[in-house]
Structure formats: structure tokens, C-alpha cells
Amino acid sequence: MTTGTPPPTAPRRSRARTFVPLAIAAWAVLEIWLLTVVADAAGGFTVLLLLVAGIVLGAAVMKRAGRRAFRNLTETLQQMPGQPGAAAEPPAAGSGGRGNGFLMLGGLLLMIPGIVSDAAGLLLLVPPVRSWLGRYTERSLERRMRAASPGSLSDAFQQARIHRPDGKVVQGEVIREDGTQPGARPDEGPRPPLTP
């Protein structure tokens, strides 16, 4: 018996789902190979010291960035209008709180064992690099937001539901607490339920 609906097809695999695991595997192999090369050249104890130093430095950087972010958040909340001792106007956005995310990312990369991740983490500790990355990220995000199709979050959920073969629609009726229905005339009785 046929129902007239085509059989469900397997969804296409996105490029990110294909290449990200391959890139992570290649990065891990590169890190292991570089650690063995450094261990052959300088000795295993030197590699162990490098790894421990990276973990300690990364933890210190992440702790400092987290404290700075929390302090900036606290200061911003205390300067909001309506708070005692706050200015009448909201404070201008300063550059003091910028770069905490990249600083924390740098600390995380330092904590991950490996030569390449340590080099990338040390690069993110340099303030001009962080500011350049921040500007680049803002421009990229603004460009993508402008290119995004108009719509709301509910439209995205609706499209996701339509594309799923098991998406179900539950019919219902909204009843107000005061008993009146919008647009209802007094002489109208109850309406029958909607049918597909």
C-alpha cells in the first residue's frame, strides 16, 4: 500500500561535520609527532617541563581573565541607571572588558598539551593580536548577520519541524482567563475544531 509520500532520505552531511573531525585528528597527530621530535632533540624531561609549564601558565591566564571579566561585569552592573550612586546615563562601552574571551582561549590552548596549541595560546596573549582578532570577528559576525535571511526564531523552529519526518502538530485552542475570546461576537457559539 502506498501513501503517496516519498520515503525519507538520509540528510546530507554538512562540510563541517565531515572536515572538523579530520582536522582534529590531523592536529592531534601533528602534536604527537612534534612532541616526539622535541623529545628526541632535547630529551623527555624537557618535554615534560614544557607540558607542565604550559598547564600552569594556561591556568594562571584563565584565572586572571576570569577575574577581570567578573570585575568588569560587576562594575558595569553597578553603573547601570537606577543603581545608587550611578550616573543618569549608561556608561560608554570601554575597551577594558574586551579581549577576555580570546585571553581565556589562549589560556585553554596553553593548557592543552602540544607545541602547536602552546604557540597559538602564546600568540593570543599578545594584545595587538587579540584586538585584531576581535575586530575581525566583529566584522565577520556583522557581515553574516546582514546576509542572514529575515525571520524570527519561531520560523527557524517551524522549518526544522517541517523537515523532520516525525514532526507532529498538536491542535489546540487558546482560552483567556477572563472568558472572552478576541474577535468573537456575542451571538456566536462555540466553534468546531479545525481539521486538516
Side-chain angles (χ1 to χ4, degrees):
M1 172 187 269
T2 58
T3 60
T5 60
T9 59
R12 278 186 20 154
R13 190 174 175 120
S14 68
R15 283 186 173 180
R17 288 185 62 197
T18 302
F19 290 117
V20 167
L22 292 175
I24 290 173
W27 169 70
V29 168
L30 177 67
E31 291 282 18
I32 292 169
W33 178 75
L34 282 174
L35 285 174
T36 57
V37 168
V38 171
D40 285 341
F45 188 69
T46 306
V47 170
L48 181 65
L49 285 178
L50 282 173
L51 294 178
V52 170
I55 291 172
V56 170
L57 180 63
V61 166
M62 286 185 70
K63 184 177 180 181
R64 180 174 174 247
R67 282 184 179 172
R68 192 168 80 176
F70 185 74
R71 185 178 60 239
N72 288 339
L73 175 66
T74 304
E75 289 173 0
T76 302
L77 290 177
Q78 288 175 350
Q79 294 174 359
M80 294 296 288
Q83 295 293 325
E89 298 178 5
S95 62
R98 297 182 62 153
N100 284 330
F102 287 119
L103 197 60
M104 291 183 101
L105 179 62
L108 179 66
L109 287 172
L110 282 170
M111 290 179 73
I112 295 173
I115 305 294
V116 176
S117 62
D118 286 350
L122 287 173
L123 196 61
L124 283 175
L125 296 183
V126 178
V129 173
R130 283 197 316 264
S131 63
W132 178 81
L133 276 174
R135 287 191 305 267
Y136 175 77
T137 304
E138 283 180 19
R139 284 194 306 264
S140 175
L141 187 60
E142 286 175 2
R143 187 171 45 248
R144 287 183 185 206
M145 293 298 280
R146 274 189 254 119
S149 61
S152 65
L153 190 59
S154 63
D155 292 337
F157 282 123
Q158 178 70 14
Q159 288 181 0
R161 187 193 60 79
I162 288 172
H163 292 295
R164 293 194 51 88
D166 62 340
K168 296 180 181 175
V169 177
V170 178
Q171 293 182 359
E173 182 176 327
V174 176
I175 300 174
R176 290 186 173 192
E177 288 183 13
D178 60 359
T180 62
Q181 295 201 4
R185 288 182 254 157
D187 58 348
E188 269 188 8
R191 299 177 76 186
L194 297 173
T195 57

